[in-house]
């Protein structure tokens, strides 16, 4: 290897070691092992312009082994990636040497694991192992969809590749397996995973827990598999990367054998090189092994290294992005309507009149299940938002989330096209969530759906949607003990509380079809927040809005649906299907001359965003008689009913029985609500 390539590789290694040592925290060994592969990919293969990290047609790189974050930060610094501010590229470096010295420190640009939005050049937030693998499948699917919809003869706008560095931990996580199975089925030839097989985890050798032949497993998934035995052979690595790109009908796995902590005299190949600083003596020995100047200070960058990267990825990327921008300018003239759609995608804007076909539902005592009304609204929105795509974890007939006439996102051999808008995730909830995040990272509006109980399988990706501020929509149906005979394994209890407790998520549980429609109006325009729509299996009466308050109140989270004149003696509040119960109680109380108020409470999150004056107007502080009703855990309602208020909620895991029997057993009856309201009204007088 000539001098500058070797210096480039070893500079990545030494910067990574020095940053971990300065922080006295981190994972140096994987960065040391993967530096040659990082160099091969970025300097010679990645179609990426450091001066324009938002270039839509760039190749994507995902560091799923997020604990090796210094590998990426060192590369971002050395390749000169420009910074991003307010969604625009600015003329300053994303990272400086000073930023590297602040690794893992408060408010630094180099947090312990890569974080999307905080550091330009980071394509997704990776920390929980396997999530980056799932994200990459979504990114690859998005590229296929963009190409199918927008590429035209002579205008190959989208043909980017997604490359992932993953490790033994990723291979042990179920989400990566789910995602790999999905990618193999879909034949995503624009996806390569480089598996760092260093055979070390925190506890020691992976022989403790992982002894299977991973390559054979991926062959069974339908992947193209290559194995390289020398993690330092840049030419072999580059050849494998290019061979992977040449296989266009299936994803590729490169099994790369490396030595964790390569170069460290005592810790190389050991678990101690994984998750702790090397220590001064080991760093000194490793640098000597690299031929590093003995008197070089920490964070030393040899002369010519940055220029070397500028001549490689810098020059190559600048030419590629400039050529693409010229192509897109011509495309705009040839296909103005499609270009206008792409402008919206690139700028995270909605098309004009996207909501013009959302239906208004007539009052109906029999009503309609909110999953059913949501399906109608989804299709009304999808008609005018062509880049909204999604599906379910094998539950579309139940969740009503298919886009009519949208086709299936499938390769032709499975009877679909990559331009299909309905994604069949299979029974893979965890992968569905991480894939939706990857799709959203490409600018498309992604949604995933399932039963509310199975949001448990999606906790990690939903949380990461919130951390990354991605506008993913999660549609969860079968929201209560209304599931009936399926029993406690399928009856959600604590899930609503969990979603409401997660920062940065907008959770809405509508009470009728028109609240569903209004919820979609609120959720779709969100650009920096995921949303959760919680829907019923059973019919919900459609409220007569000529008698009760207009549905526009939903946008404020909770609103007065009906009320007496003056100060009420009791406030009845509920979400979802239970609103009809409190309305019945309100009518009985009113007939008896008891002053009552009904508050429809579809969203804690929206309500908490309102100013204190509005919240007090809905829930006057001097009204202490209060009742909350919800077929879920009581947790969270206490802040609205107060210490002396009454909460009719679930305190167990439910039971298997027809719905009517369950409502009686657990106290969700008109009589129970009326009785609690009468008791609370006496407190309010």
């Amino acid at each position: 290897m000539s001098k500058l390539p070797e210096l480039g590789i070893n500079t990545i290694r030494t910067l990574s070691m020095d940053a971990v040592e300065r922080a006295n925290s981190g994972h140096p060994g994987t960065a040391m092992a993967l530096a040659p592969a990082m160099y091969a990919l970025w300097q010679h293969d990645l179609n990426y312009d450091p001066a324009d990290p938002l270039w839509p047609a760039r190749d994507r790189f995902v560091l799923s082994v997020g604990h090796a974050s210094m590998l990426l930060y060192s590369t971002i610094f050395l390749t000169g990636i420009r910074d991003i501010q307010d969604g625009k590229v600015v003329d300053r470096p994303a990272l400086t040497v000073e930023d590297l010295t602040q690794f893992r420190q408060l408010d630094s640009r180099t947090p312990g694991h890569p974080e999307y939005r905080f550091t330009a050049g980071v394509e997704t937030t990776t920390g929980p192992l396997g999530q980056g693998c799932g994200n990459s499948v979504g990114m690859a699917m998005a590229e296929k969809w963009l190409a199918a919809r927008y590429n035209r003869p002579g205008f190959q706008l989208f043909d980017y590749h997604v490359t992932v560095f993953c490790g033994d931990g990723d291979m042990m996580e179920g989400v990566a397996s789910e995602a790999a199975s999905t990618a193999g089925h879909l034949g995503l030839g624009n996806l390569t995973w480089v598996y760092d097989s260093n055979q070390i985890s925190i506890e020691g050798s992976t022989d403790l827990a992982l002894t299977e032949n991973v390559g054979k497993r991926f062959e069974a998934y339908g992947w193209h598999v290559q194995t390289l035995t020398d993690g330092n052979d840049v030419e072999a690595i580059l050849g494998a990367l290019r061979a992977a790109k040449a296989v266009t009908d299936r994803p590729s796995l490169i099994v790369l054998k490396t030595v964790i902590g390569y170069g460290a005299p005592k810790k190389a190949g050991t678990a101690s090189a994984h998750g702790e600083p090397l220590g001064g003596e080991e760093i000194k020995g490793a640098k000597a092994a690299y031929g590093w100047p003995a008197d070089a200070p920490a964070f030393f960058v040899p002369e010519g290294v940055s220029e070397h990267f500028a001549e490689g990825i810098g020059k190559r990327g600048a030419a590629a992005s400039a050529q693409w921008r010229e192509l897109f300018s011509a495309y705009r003239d040839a296909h103005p309507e499609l270009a206008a759609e792409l402008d919206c995608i690139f700028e995270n804007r909605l098309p004009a009149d996207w909501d013009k076909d959302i239906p208004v539902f007539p009052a109906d005592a029999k009503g309609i299940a909110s999953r059913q009304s949501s399906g109608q609204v989804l299709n009304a929105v999808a008609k005018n938002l062509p880049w909204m795509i999604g599906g379910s974890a094998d539950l579309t007939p139940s969740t009503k989330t298919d886009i009519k006439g949208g086709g299936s996102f499938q390769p032709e051999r499975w009877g679909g096209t990559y331009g299909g808008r309905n994604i069949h995730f299979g029974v893979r909830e965890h992968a569905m969530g991480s894939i939706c995040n990857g799709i959203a990272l490409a600018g498309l509006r992604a949604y995933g759906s399932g039963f509310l109980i199975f949001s448990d399988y999606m906790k990690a990706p939903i949380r990461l949607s919130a951390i990354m501020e991605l506008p993913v929509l999660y549609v969860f149906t079968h929201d209560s003990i209304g599931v009936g005979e399926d029993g406690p394994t399928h009856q959600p209890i604590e899930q609503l509380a969990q979603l409401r407790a997660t920062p940065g998520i907008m959770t809405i549980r509508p009470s009728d079809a028109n609240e569903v429609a209004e919820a979609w109006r609120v959720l779709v325009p969100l650009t920096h927040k995921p949303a959760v729509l919680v829907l019923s299996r059973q019919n919900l009466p459609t409220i007569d809005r000529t008698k009760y308050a207009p549905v526009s109140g939903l946008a404020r989270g909770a609103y007065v649906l009906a009320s007496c004149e003056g100060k009420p003696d009791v406030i009845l509040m509920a979400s979802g299907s239970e609103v009809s119960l409190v309305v019945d109680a309100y009518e009985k109380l009113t007939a008896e001359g008891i002053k009552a108020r009904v508050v429809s409470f579809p969203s804690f999150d929206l309500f908490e965003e309102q100013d204190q004056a509005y919240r007090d107007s809905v829930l006057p502080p001097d009204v202490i008689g209060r009742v909350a009703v919800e077929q879920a855990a009581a947790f969270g309602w206490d802040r609205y009913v107060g210490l002396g208020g009454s909460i009719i909620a679930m305190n167990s895991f439910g039971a298997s029985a027809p719905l009517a029997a369950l409502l009686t057993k657990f106290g969700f009856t008109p009589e129970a609500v009326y009785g609690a309201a009468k008791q609370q009204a006496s407190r309010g007088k």
Side-chain angles (χ1 to χ4, degrees):
M1 187 185 299
S2 61
K3 183 178 180 181
L4 278 173
E6 185 175 3
L7 278 177
I9 292 167
N10 289 333
T11 304
I12 293 173
R13 285 169 164 155
T14 56
L15 289 174
S16 301
M17 292 189 297
D18 289 342
V20 172
E21 195 69 21
R22 173 71 65 88
N24 196 29
S25 173
H27 302 73
T30 301
M32 297 159 71
L34 283 176
M38 196 71 164
Y39 175 86
L41 174 67
W42 282 72
Q43 181 69 339
H44 296 293
D45 185 71
L46 203 67
N47 198 30
Y48 187 95
D49 182 6
D52 189 3
L54 295 179
W55 171 34
R58 69 191 181 278
D59 283 351
R60 267 60 167 184
F61 171 73
V62 175
L63 185 70
S64 193
V65 281
H67 55 271
S69 55
M70 273 307 307
L71 176 70
L72 180 53
Y73 298 148
S74 299
T75 304
I76 289 171
F77 164 67
L78 291 171
T79 57
I81 291 177
R82 298 291 91 184
D83 202 7
I84 298 169
Q85 182 176 336
D86 299 326
K88 304 292 184 183
V89 179
V90 294
D91 189 21
R92 65 169 180 250
L95 293 177
T96 64
V97 169
E98 177 62 23
D99 291 317
L100 302 186
T101 69
Q102 295 301 303
F103 178 56
R104 291 189 164 224
Q105 303 310 300
L106 183 64
D107 296 330
S108 78
R109 294 179 175 221
T110 48
H113 292 80
E115 294 187 36
Y116 174 71
R117 296 185 304 109
F118 284 88
T119 313
V122 173
E123 299 283 5
T124 181
T125 296
T126 54
L129 290 172
Q131 290 298 321
C133 293
N135 296 161
S136 74
V137 174
M139 293 174 180
M141 291 168 65
E143 187 279 329
K144 290 289 190 183
W145 191 89
L146 288 164
R149 181 168 181 84
Y150 296 110
N151 285 1
R152 291 293 183 271
F155 294 99
Q156 189 81 356
L157 290 181
F158 298 101
D159 62 352
Y160 63 77
H161 201 84
V162 183
T163 303
V164 181
F165 281 9
C166 51
D168 292 304
D170 292 292
M171 292 303 138
M172 291 187 246
E173 288 286 1
V175 63
S177 298
E178 291 182 23
S181 176
T182 303
H185 166 76
L186 293 174
L188 299 178
N190 56 348
L191 178 64
T192 299
W193 291 4
V194 178
Y195 163 36
D196 173 30
S197 180
N198 61 42
Q199 297 182 295
I200 292 293
S201 64
I202 289 176
E203 292 185 354
S205 168
T206 53
D207 287 347
L208 292 168
L210 181 70
T211 53
E212 70 206 40
N213 187 321
V214 172
K216 292 294 183 183
R217 169 154 62 97
F218 274 69
E219 286 178 0
Y221 287 146
W223 287 52
H224 169 246
V225 178
Q226 304 172 76
T227 299
L228 301 181
T229 59
D230 184 358
N232 289 311
D233 190 337
V234 171
E235 290 302 318
I237 294 168
L238 183 58
L241 290 168
R242 290 174 175 168
K245 279 190 172 180
V247 177
T248 59
D249 64 342
R250 50 191 164 141
S252 289
L253 178 75
I254 299 171
V255 181
L256 182 64
K257 304 291 186 179
T258 69
V259 177
I260 194 168
Y262 177 82
K266 295 180 180 178
K267 293 188 175 182
T270 69
S272 61
H274 174 76
E276 61 188 47
L278 292 175
E281 287 303 310
E282 284 293 293
I283 287 180
K284 182 178 178 181
K287 288 182 176 180
Y290 304 152
W292 216 241
D295 58 350
F299 300 98
F300 172 64
V301 179
E303 183 178 350
V305 169
S306 297
E307 293 80 4
H308 175 62
F309 281 105
E311 284 295 309
I313 185 173
K315 185 175 288 187
R316 184 180 72 253
S321 67
Q323 183 180 16
W324 186 89
R325 300 254 176 225
E326 184 177 341
L327 180 69
F328 187 59
S329 179
Y331 181 88
R332 189 183 299 282
D333 293 335
H335 304 285
E337 291 185 2
L338 292 177
E341 285 187 12
L342 286 171
D343 286 337
C344 286
I345 293 172
F346 300 157
E347 297 167 14
N348 204 9
R349 291 188 287 109
L350 293 172
D353 300 324
W354 65 271
D355 58 348
K356 65 181 180 181
D357 294 313
I358 291 180
V360 175
F361 295 86
D364 183 356
K366 179 182 177 182
I368 182 174
S370 54
R371 62 169 173 162
Q372 188 72 45
S373 56
S374 176
Q376 295 180 34
V377 178
L378 181 154
N379 274 275
V381 172
K383 184 166 74 170
N384 300 306
L385 184 53
W387 55 93
M388 184 172 75
I389 65 174
S392 78
D394 196 46
L395 290 170
T396 298
S398 291
T399 60
K400 313 299 181 186
T401 47
D402 57 316
I403 296 175
K404 308 299 183 187
S408 291
F409 183 93
Q410 298 274 359
E412 290 184 6
R413 62 177 172 151
W414 302 127
T417 72
Y418 288 130
R421 299 177 67 186
N422 293 297
I423 301 172
H424 305 281
F425 291 102
V427 187
R428 303 184 184 100
E429 288 89 353
H430 199 167
M432 176 172 69
S434 62
I435 288 170
C436 283
N437 284 339
I439 294 171
L441 286 162
L444 305 183
R445 298 305 299 266
Y447 68 86
S449 68
F451 293 170
L452 180 58
I453 189 68
F454 300 136
S455 66
D456 287 349
Y457 286 128
M458 302 172 65
K459 167 63 176 169
I462 292 174
R463 186 173 190 270
L464 286 166
S465 298
I467 289 174
M468 289 191 276
E469 299 185 356
L470 298 177
V472 177
L473 175 58
Y474 298 95
V475 181
F476 292 127
T477 68
H478 295 58
D479 66 344
S480 69
I481 59 173
V483 174
E485 293 88 343
D486 278 340
T489 62
H490 282 56
Q491 291 167 3
I493 304 298
E494 71 278 17
Q495 286 69 29
L496 264 174
Q498 174 179 287
L499 290 165
R500 288 167 175 162
T502 305
I505 294 176
M506 185 67 70
T507 302
I508 302 182
R509 185 177 183 237
S511 67
D512 75 342
N514 286 309
E515 279 200 356
V516 168
E518 195 68 15
W520 277 90
R521 284 195 178 90
V522 169
L523 300 179
V524 172
L526 295 175
T527 58
H528 292 84
K529 182 178 289 189
V532 175
L533 192 56
V534 181
L535 305 169
S536 75
R537 175 197 189 192
Q538 72 274 21
N539 285 355
L540 307 181
T542 306
I543 295 169
D544 183 352
R545 298 292 169 169
T546 65
K547 180 179 180 181
Y548 298 101
V551 74
S552 57
L554 175 138
R556 306 192 79 171
Y559 63 103
V560 178
L561 186 62
S563 189
C564 62
E565 293 289 333
K567 177 184 173 182
D569 297 321
V570 62
I571 300 173
L572 304 165
M573 60 192 90
S575 76
S577 56
E578 292 77 77
V579 169
S580 62
L581 273 177
V582 297
V583 168
D584 286 347
Y586 163 82
E587 296 292 353
K588 290 179 183 176
L589 293 168
T590 301
E592 294 178 10
I594 296 174
K595 300 174 75 173
R597 169 176 291 188
V598 172
V599 173
S600 178
F601 221 126
S603 176
F604 286 16
D605 306 299
L606 278 169
F607 188 63
E608 291 300 322
E609 288 182 357
Q610 309 309 308
D611 60 35
Q612 190 64 50
Y614 176 77
R615 285 183 282 163
D616 287 348
S617 73
V618 175
L619 302 175
D622 59 348
V623 179
I624 63 171
R626 301 184 180 194
V627 179
V629 184
E630 190 171 66
Q631 292 178 39
F635 189 84
W637 280 105
D638 53 317
R639 81 175 90 170
Y640 302 121
V641 302
L643 293 176
S646 177
I647 304 174
I648 299 174
M650 291 296 296
N651 297 299
S652 71
F653 284 119
S656 177
L659 176 58
L662 292 172
L663 296 179
T664 299
K665 175 178 175 61
F666 294 110
F668 296 99
T669 63
E671 296 77 18
V673 175
Y674 170 75
K678 285 269 286 187
Q679 184 180 31
Q680 285 293 316
S682 66
R683 291 181 69 235
K685 289 183 178 179

